[in-house]
Amino acid sequence: MRIGELAARTGVSVRSLRYYEEQGLLTSTRSAGGQRHYAEGDVERVAFVQRLYAAGLSSRTITELLPCVDSPSDENSDAAMERMAAERDRLSAHIDELLRTRDALDALMAAAQAYRDARRVPA
């Protein structure tokens, strides 16, 4: 399939697909006219990359994990497990910080509401 069809099927822009290729996240073959052509399996590949991006992983990190997907081996699996554990720790720390921020906002909202309630004059 050509790049436009892959973009339509995955909901990812053509520009993003070109970027994925530049980063080594996706590969294509080229026609004699230079058009990119993708395999059916690239639909799932793009979805997988999108899930990793949504989880907060960078293209560099995703590139480090893909050998485990593309060429499973003990060495690739060990390296991927280490990298994924580091990413999981990073995400957990970020979630903890988000929870602290939410709790701080809740406290500010409660204080603002208490102030408003105290200023209300009974009718």
Side-chain angles (χ1 to χ4, degrees):
M1 79 190 81
R2 293 183 12 200
I3 195 167
E5 182 180 347
L6 182 61
R9 289 182 60 188
T10 60
V12 175
S13 70
V14 168
R15 182 176 181 201
S16 291
L17 295 174
R18 287 185 184 126
Y19 175 77
Y20 293 176
E21 276 200 63
E22 289 172 14
Q23 299 301 306
L25 305 174
L26 185 65
T27 58
S28 66
T29 57
R30 298 289 181 130
S31 69
Q35 293 180 331
R36 291 174 170 90
H37 289 275
Y38 298 92
E40 185 65 31
D42 289 325
V43 172
E44 179 53 37
R45 173 72 164 224
V46 170
F48 178 65
V49 168
Q50 285 289 290
R51 285 192 303 272
L52 294 176
Y53 273 129
L57 278 64
S58 67
S59 59
R60 181 178 179 174
T61 299
I62 296 168
T63 301
E64 292 174 17
L65 297 176
L66 287 177
C68 186
V69 174
D70 297 334
S71 304
S73 69
D74 288 344
E75 182 180 329
N76 287 342
S77 294
D78 291 345
M81 288 296 289
E82 285 181 34
R83 189 65 174 119
M84 287 185 286
E87 282 302 311
R88 187 180 190 291
D89 290 345
R90 183 189 65 78
L91 288 171
S92 292
H94 185 65
I95 290 167
D96 290 344
E97 182 61 29
L98 287 171
L99 290 171
R100 283 191 294 277
T101 301
R102 185 193 63 192
D103 291 346
L105 284 172
D106 285 345
L108 286 171
M109 290 170 63
Q113 188 62 49
Y115 172 79
R116 291 179 79 184
D117 291 346
R119 291 185 38 111
R120 286 198 178 118
V121 178

